[in-house]
Amino acid sequence: MRLTLQVEPHGWGRLEFADTHVATIVRVSNVSDVFADVIDAIAAAAAGAESVEAYLGLEPGLATVRISRHDEAWSRIEIDVGDHWGAHGAFSFPFETRSLAKLGLEFAATVDRETYLDAWAPQVTWPTESLEGLRDLAQ
């Protein structure tokens, strides 16, 4: 499982969810604090929360990312896209629960902090506290 965020100018970006079999890209904007919201959700799940959600899209709620821990061995990331310019659907990616912290840190490595803040500020924040928590959990 991998997550990447391509930040584009003027508040747009592409959030990709992928595994070895399938990939889905959600067009996102800085209307919701996409990167911080997803990192915060991953950090909460890695710290033991059973289910967390983050909202993405042009407005909060157009797409939802849900991370559910099924047990200590397996978890699932689900993306539910509402009627977003005619495209809608749900996608699900299973992954090992113990890899949550690593997943979050690898996701963060795809986003250049300076580029993200320069392109999307002041609407967005950098999730420093959640990233520190993920680093601690990954050790």
Side-chain angles (χ1 to χ4, degrees):
M1 173 77 201
R2 78 176 182 279
L3 297 172
T4 58
L5 176 62
Q6 293 177 323
V7 176
E8 300 169 359
H10 311 295
W12 291 100
R14 296 177 186 277
L15 180 58
E16 180 179 14
F17 301 82
D19 65 12
T20 56
H21 302 290
V22 69
T24 187
I25 297 173
V26 178
R27 185 105 163 115
V28 295
S29 78
N30 63 4
V31 171
S32 58
D33 197 352
V34 173
F35 177 65
D37 291 348
V38 173
I39 286 292
D40 290 347
I42 292 170
E50 288 186 35
S51 181
V52 291
E53 291 184 349
Y55 301 100
L56 315 171
L58 298 175
E59 298 175 358
L62 284 179
T64 304
V65 174
R66 183 175 302 101
I67 303 172
S68 303
R69 292 172 62 117
H70 291 281
D71 54 36
E72 289 305 310
W74 290 99
S75 294
R76 183 172 300 278
I77 290 183
E78 300 168 329
I79 302 97
D80 184 15
V81 180
D83 191 11
H84 185 62
W85 290 337
H88 57 84
F91 306 89
S92 182
F93 297 89
F95 62 94
E96 293 182 69
T97 300
R98 64 184 166 94
S99 67
L100 272 167
K102 181 180 174 191
L103 175 70
L105 293 173
E106 288 174 351
F107 174 48
T110 72
V111 181
D112 178 74
R113 180 181 180 159
E114 187 174 315
T115 301
Y116 179 71
L117 294 175
D118 284 350
W120 286 14
Q123 295 89 328
V124 299
T125 59
W126 191 257
T128 304
E129 187 176 308
S130 291
L131 288 169
E132 289 172 2
L134 288 172
R135 283 187 203 97
D136 291 343
L137 289 169
Q139 293 180 355

